[in-house]
Amino acid sequence: MNKLLLTALLASLPTAGAATLVFGNNGDPVSLESGNITDGISIAVQRQIYDTLVDFKDGTTDPVPGLATSWKANKDATQWTFTLRRGVKFHDGTPFNADAVIFNVNRWWDPKNAYGFRNQGHTYEIWGQLMGGYKGDATSVLKNVVKINDYTVRFDMNKPSTVFPSVIGSGYFGIASPAAIKKDGAKYGTPASKPVGTGPFIFQSWKTGDRIVLLPNKLYWGSKPKVDQLVIRSIKDASQRLNELKAGTIDFANDLTPDSLKAIQADKNLVAVKRPSFNVGFVSLNNRNEYLKNDKVRQAISMAINKKAIVDAFWPGLGISNASFLPPVLSWANSKNVPADYRFDPTAAKKLLAEAGYPNGFSIDLWYMPVSRPYFPQPKPIAEAIAADLSAIGIKVNLKTEDWAKYLEDRRKEPGFDMYMIGWTGDYGDPDNFYSAYYGPGGSDDINWNPAELVRLLDQGRAAVSQADKAKVYAQIHEITYKANYRIPVVHSQPLAAARSYVKGWVPSPLGSEAFNNISVAGKK
Amino acid sequence: MGSYLIRRILRTLLVMIGISVVVFAFVRSIPGDPATVMLGERATPEAAAALREQLGLNKPWFINYKDPAHLLEAQYPKYMAQLLQGDLGSGLKSNIPVRDELVNRFPATAELAIAALLFALLVGLPAGILAALRRNSVWDNLATTISLVGVSMPVFWLGLLLSYFFAVRLGWLPPSARLGNDVTLEPITGFYVLDALLRGQPAAAWDALRHLILPAIALGTIPLAIIARITRSSLLEVLGQDYVRTARAKGLASRTVTLKHALRNALLPVVTVIGLQAGALLGGAVLTETIFSWPGLGSWLYEAISQRDYPVIQGGVIFAALVVSVVNLLVDLSYAALDPRIQYR
């Protein structure tokens, strides 16, 4: 009874004076276990609790030291040696060292690992996608991970990889405390456990569907948090996130719809924050369709879509259109022989269509996504705009959509969709991350077009050691894909975020999430 | 009465088993599976197949007839065996036990549904009564019009509108969630208003109540409209019946006639509607909870369906069906209380 009374008393004490930072996340995390998630909502939370070996310079995709202070490759990039930061402790007080790194890597990539991914299975799918396979696979980029001493780890590769440090630095691969994972087993990462990393914030509580409370890590090796408490609220609806911002019940939020930019700018209490663009939204044309097989038809379609007008209408001030699959940060990998943007010329397009043998046009399906993504926040009206542009040259477009799960499945099921909208947000700063996701074996059956030369070039790009070599290979890929017109990039958008005007020090990362340790809320009421 | 109850409970159990079979087959026949959704934009057929195997989704649904030695390795027998031990499984990706989430989230939904129902009754009943008694008056027209608007207003639209107007423009109420950012409350029952009072935290109770108002109005508007209309028409019908005329002829006061004789009988269909609305409230909670970031069953189930998270959908649907059955049983029992002619044997 006394204890109950005391708890009640403590709980009713005013918490005024403490600086609480409140973030509006666009949903509830799937899990707080690093090595178990692939979604941005979970990563946004995990970035606060866990560090990665490699970090990225604020607002860029340039690798900088994280839990590793330095790393270097041998001459042909088949061995990477990482020097680890000394004196770092996990939130549970256990030391961070080479054993901890190897424990985590084994969880991610060894399907037989006892502490590996969950009880339903033992492979972490994103590892396979980014690293070509798992321990023991011939296709795996990584061959072995070796402890040299307590603060040095070496990664041996099956094939040269110049992007390895960036990949291992991506938000999926937060380093967790081995002791905590061993203690909680399958419960680790659920609300019934306490996720333990070395990051700037320490996990306090998680009420699913509602909020996660984190406390500052006073012993953090990097720049220490500037607030007394970080609350991460789960607010699924974008308009409601904006409402909460305006009402002042949250301090900052991600993923607002582009059309709210004006409302944010008009509110003197709010500041619009544009995340650097690191995505592409595009339309895929299917080679199995008899019309779309024709080179001239595809060219006509790409010429008929007024991408600039579409971007101006749906992403006013928040997007660009160009003739590259790669977001602007990676423009060093673009070819100089390809024009900056596609030509918009409905008259020429109509002529091309006539040359192709369809002077009166034809009828075709365009599938748009049922969900909102940073690259296509409002897929339906965008699809309608594309349909209107195509109807101007005589192509009658039937707009179609279906439930997201079915959409994802059907696009890859033969014969697939004639034309469909999809997109991609990058994980790390390399052109391969964009091209391989949609060309080469990975995208093999949604448009039925994967020329051998392209596949060969993609392999070559992954192995290229210097950036100059890489630029040469990707310039060729750019030329081939630009000429082919099978995937027409519509937009590289800047996801819109916003903060109350007293929020200082928030530098959003192009990779989608960043740690909040530098944010302060001086002057918050 | 006792044997009636036992029969009803047995029947409910049978219904639950039936529902488990149906929901099991149903979720698996919806195209698109958890593997595809988990992989999202990255899903290659190979990766999806591998993940499907990991999740055990490549096993037959009900009986493994191809392989008699492993007859019970199909998905349903395994699920039922688990269920009989009180284990509803865990979210496919999150690994959060479904039972824990049900325990966690049901009170939130129940608190919201009860508040919405209270709002609907407190406003709907008097409005309906008033409309019936002052038939064709301004009041009647007003009540009819409002109830028409209430029924046709999409819940998510109304929710956003309420939130924008009362939270953003006027600043009277919080826009969403169950508690303020700086309020801490150790739950006991999961009903926050009640818990805060039990813990002796009046400030927290007030905060929880303020958070409850807007979602309750959003969720309660449709039932309110329906209750008002049913009350009106039911009361009008009863008022026209012989025994009411007799009562009046006996010289009873008009108020006594209306409230004691007519209203009691007129309430029967209203109670039925409330029972039916209990199911609808769970359904309406999906949108209301999503709009108001209310951590209840509705928003959780909605998410699970779009993710094809089979164990969560199964557990959630079976549980929701159980709740609706119990509510309906209570409604049936309350008939007897309202109308002595009805007896259960």
Side-chain angles (χ1 to χ4, degrees):
Chain A
M1 186 58 208
N2 272 338
K3 202 180 157 200
L4 195 73
L5 204 69
L6 191 68
T7 326
L9 269 173
L10 284 177
S12 58
L13 283 178
T15 45
T20 300
L21 176 65
V22 189
F23 175 65
N25 203 3
N26 48 336
D28 212 30
V30 172
S31 165
L32 290 182
E33 175 181 6
S34 61
N36 187 35
I37 46 99
T38 52
D39 64 302
I41 295 172
S42 301
I43 291 181
V45 182
Q46 294 200 3
R47 285 291 284 119
Q48 317 308 325
I49 300 171
Y50 301 110
D51 288 311
T52 43
L53 284 179
V54 175
D55 207 345
F56 299 95
K57 202 177 142 205
D58 285 356
T60 73
T61 60
D62 306 336
V64 295
L67 281 178
T69 49
S70 67
W71 50 89
K72 62 175 197 293
N74 62 352
K75 218 176 100 228
D76 58 356
T78 50
Q79 264 186 358
W80 281 95
T81 309
F82 282 69
T83 306
L84 308 180
R85 196 174 290 278
R86 286 163 189 262
V88 175
K89 279 195 161 50
F90 287 104
H91 302 153
D92 59 4
T94 56
F96 163 76
N97 53 27
D99 293 326
V101 172
I102 291 173
F103 179 87
N104 276 278
V105 173
N106 282 332
R107 264 160 51 77
W108 299 327
W109 88 309
D110 181 356
K112 294 196 185 75
N113 188 282
Y115 299 103
F117 176 82
R118 296 272 144 251
N119 50 357
Q120 283 97 349
H122 280 278
T123 52
Y124 182 27
E125 66 258 26
I126 197 77
W127 178 279
Q129 282 152 19
L130 297 182
M131 303 279 192
Y134 300 92
K135 188 173 188 172
D137 292 353
T139 51
S140 170
V141 173
L142 186 62
K143 186 162 75 186
N144 204 3
V145 49
V146 193
K147 173 180 171 180
I148 305 293
N149 60 42
D150 273 356
Y151 293 99
T152 315
V153 174
R154 197 185 71 216
F155 296 90
D156 297 339
M157 311 282 152
N158 275 320
K159 41 192 156 187
S161 171
T162 41
V163 295
F164 182 74
S166 286
V167 177
I168 204 77
S170 65
Y172 311 112
F173 305 120
I175 305 281
S177 156
I181 290 167
K182 284 177 185 160
K183 191 172 126 258
D184 285 349
K187 259 201 313 215
Y188 188 81
T190 70
S193 87
K194 194 177 154 74
V196 179
T198 59
F201 291 93
I202 299 174
F203 177 85
Q204 175 75 8
S205 66
W206 177 9
K207 174 93 180 66
T208 52
D210 183 23
R211 72 194 60 189
I212 287 163
V213 178
L214 306 175
L215 298 177
N217 176 3
K218 299 251 160 56
L219 303 172
Y220 189 51
W221 58 267
S223 132
K224 291 187 182 58
K226 319 258 175 302
V227 293
D228 302 315
Q229 178 175 265
L230 169 62
V231 175
I232 301 179
R233 293 260 317 271
S234 155
I235 307 168
K236 226 171 276 175
D237 187 81
S239 345
Q240 194 61 285
R241 282 198 296 282
L242 185 60
N243 278 349
E244 295 256 6
L245 267 174
K246 284 181 165 173
T249 42
I250 60 175
D251 298 321
F252 62 132
N254 252 340
D255 281 324
L256 301 165
T257 51
D259 54 8
S260 46
L261 180 61
K262 275 210 180 95
I264 295 166
Q265 285 167 340
D267 189 329
K268 63 176 190 333
N269 295 316
L270 300 183
V271 181
V273 177
K274 300 175 185 177
R275 202 173 269 283
S277 176
F278 202 57
N279 61 31
V280 56
F282 59 94
V283 177
S284 278
L285 309 185
N286 191 341
N287 195 32
R288 291 186 193 90
N289 179 289
E290 56 162 311
Y291 305 117
L292 298 178
K293 248 181 209 145
N294 191 312
D295 292 349
K296 285 188 174 153
V297 170
R298 290 193 312 274
Q299 205 186 339
I301 288 176
S302 116
M303 258 187 207
I305 301 176
N306 191 351
K307 296 162 46 195
K308 236 184 191 92
I310 291 175
V311 171
D312 284 348
F314 295 102
W315 294 265
L318 291 167
I320 59 150
S321 80
N322 63 18
S324 172
F325 208 65
L326 303 176
V329 202
L330 296 175
S331 59
W332 54 267
N334 284 338
S335 164
K336 298 199 167 46
N337 303 326
V338 172
D341 207 349
Y342 287 84
R343 181 171 148 214
F344 168 63
D345 190 344
T347 325
K350 208 164 164 35
K351 222 169 107 197
L352 266 172
L353 212 55
E355 280 173 32
Y358 307 110
N360 301 318
F362 50 83
S363 169
I364 200 161
D365 294 343
L366 169 63
W367 292 77
Y368 62 89
M369 307 151 33
V371 293
S372 161
R373 281 287 186 272
Y375 45 80
F376 283 135
Q378 301 150 290
K380 190 181 178 197
I382 296 166
E384 282 164 353
I386 294 172
D389 283 343
L390 293 182
S391 82
I393 62 165
I395 300 178
K396 189 181 168 294
V397 174
N398 312 310
L399 291 182
K400 291 197 161 173
T401 192
E402 59 187 354
D403 171 86
W404 185 228
K406 193 162 175 352
Y407 189 90
L408 289 169
E409 186 175 280
D410 284 352
R411 67 176 174 144
R412 294 206 190 262
K413 228 189 225 165
E414 271 193 70
F417 299 148
D418 291 343
M419 291 201 279
Y420 83 100
M421 287 159 66
I422 192 89
W424 185 258
T425 300
D427 306 304
Y428 54 91
D430 194 86
D432 178 57
N433 186 232
F434 279 81
Y435 281 117
S436 302
Y438 283 92
Y439 293 106
S444 50
D445 41 11
D446 69 327
I447 59 165
N448 191 33
W449 182 76
N450 260 319
E453 199 196 351
L454 190 59
V455 177
R456 188 181 58 78
L457 283 168
L458 285 170
D459 280 341
Q460 222 175 307
R462 269 185 290 258
V465 174
S466 73
Q467 176 147 330
D469 287 347
K470 252 182 210 294
K472 252 182 244 158
V473 178
Y474 287 107
Q476 288 179 62
I477 293 178
H478 188 198
E479 284 164 30
I480 293 173
T481 52
Y482 169 78
K483 220 173 267 164
N485 285 309
Y486 276 104
R487 301 203 198 262
I488 304 168
V490 175
V491 68
H492 302 287
S493 75
Q494 284 186 285
L496 179 63
R500 300 285 293 182
S501 49
Y502 51 72
V503 172
K504 299 281 183 284
W506 184 27
V507 185
S509 157
L511 298 167
S513 55
E514 56 284 322
F516 299 151
N517 48 337
N518 287 323
I519 300 181
S520 60
V521 287
K524 179 182 177 181
K525 266 189 276 178
Chain B
M1 186 74 179
S3 70
Y4 170 77
L5 254 183
I6 291 170
R7 262 184 293 133
R8 276 294 296 258
I9 289 168
L10 284 178
R11 207 165 74 194
T12 306
L13 271 179
L14 272 180
V15 168
M16 289 299 119
I17 293 173
I19 283 178
S20 75
V21 172
V22 170
V23 74
F24 208 83
F26 186 71
V27 292
R28 280 166 180 75
S29 33
I30 323 174
D33 64 5
T36 330
V37 185
M38 279 184 200
L39 296 172
E41 284 94 324
R42 304 168 195 275
T44 61
E46 301 79 39
L51 189 55
R52 224 165 268 144
E53 194 176 329
Q54 278 180 44
L55 299 173
L57 301 173
N58 53 344
K59 297 262 161 55
W61 296 355
F62 289 105
I63 293 178
N64 202 351
Y65 57 90
K66 281 183 204 147
D67 183 5
H70 301 94
L71 201 65
L72 293 182
E73 275 198 350
Q75 299 179 42
Y76 186 76
K78 272 190 126 169
Y79 183 74
M80 276 327 252
Q82 268 186 349
L83 195 62
L84 289 177
Q85 297 164 31
D87 180 4
L88 286 163
S90 296
L92 283 183
K93 183 93 190 186
S94 68
N95 209 36
I96 301 175
V98 173
R99 193 184 42 198
D100 289 4
E101 279 292 88
L102 278 174
V103 170
N104 206 343
R105 286 174 180 255
F106 178 65
T109 301
E111 185 181 46
L112 176 57
I114 290 171
L117 206 55
L118 275 178
F119 166 71
L121 284 173
L122 288 178
V123 182
L125 270 182
I129 295 171
L130 194 65
L133 294 181
R134 306 262 185 281
R135 201 175 168 188
N136 296 330
S137 70
V138 184
W139 292 112
D140 186 14
N141 287 332
L142 191 69
T144 317
T145 315
I146 290 176
S147 73
L148 189 69
V149 175
V151 173
S152 29
M153 180 85 93
V155 175
F156 71 91
W157 175 239
L158 178 64
L160 276 177
L161 216 65
L162 287 171
S163 184
Y164 180 74
F165 196 73
F166 289 103
V168 179
R169 293 305 292 265
L170 297 173
W172 292 354
L173 292 165
S176 76
R178 290 185 79 187
L179 277 180
N181 298 319
D182 288 323
V183 181
T184 43
L185 176 65
E186 268 310 307
I188 306 169
T189 60
F191 288 69
Y192 279 8
V193 180
L194 186 66
D195 289 353
L197 291 174
L198 289 175
R199 294 258 185 229
Q201 294 174 240
W206 174 237
D207 186 64
L209 190 64
R210 276 162 44 89
H211 279 85
L212 191 54
I213 294 174
L214 292 182
I217 293 177
L219 184 58
T221 296
I222 292 179
L224 180 157
I226 295 172
I227 287 172
R229 300 191 79 169
I230 299 282
T231 308
R232 176 183 179 273
S233 60
S234 171
L235 191 57
L236 277 178
E237 194 186 314
V238 173
L239 286 174
Q241 277 177 9
D242 290 348
Y243 71 93
V244 174
R245 215 175 310 140
T246 314
R248 281 220 174 94
K250 281 197 305 188
L252 285 176
S254 169
R255 168 188 286 263
T256 320
V257 174
T258 320
L259 293 183
K260 278 221 153 142
H261 297 264
L263 191 59
R264 183 165 171 151
N265 286 316
L267 278 182
L268 270 182
V270 178
V271 171
T272 311
V273 165
I274 293 171
L276 290 174
Q277 283 299 311
L281 279 176
L282 282 176
V286 172
L287 291 172
T288 314
E289 287 179 3
T290 306
I291 293 293
F292 287 98
S293 313
W294 197 264
L297 283 183
S299 54
W300 178 58
L301 260 181
Y302 172 77
E303 188 81 351
I305 290 168
S306 63
Q307 304 281 327
R308 306 283 193 271
D309 198 328
Y310 296 162
V312 173
I313 305 175
Q314 284 153 205
V317 169
I318 292 172
F319 181 79
L322 188 67
V323 170
V324 172
S325 302
V326 170
V327 170
N328 279 331
L329 181 59
L330 293 177
V331 167
D332 286 353
L333 295 178
S334 71
Y335 283 163
L338 280 169
D339 186 345
R341 284 174 303 176
I342 300 174
Q343 282 189 0
Y344 295 111
R345 251 174 243 130

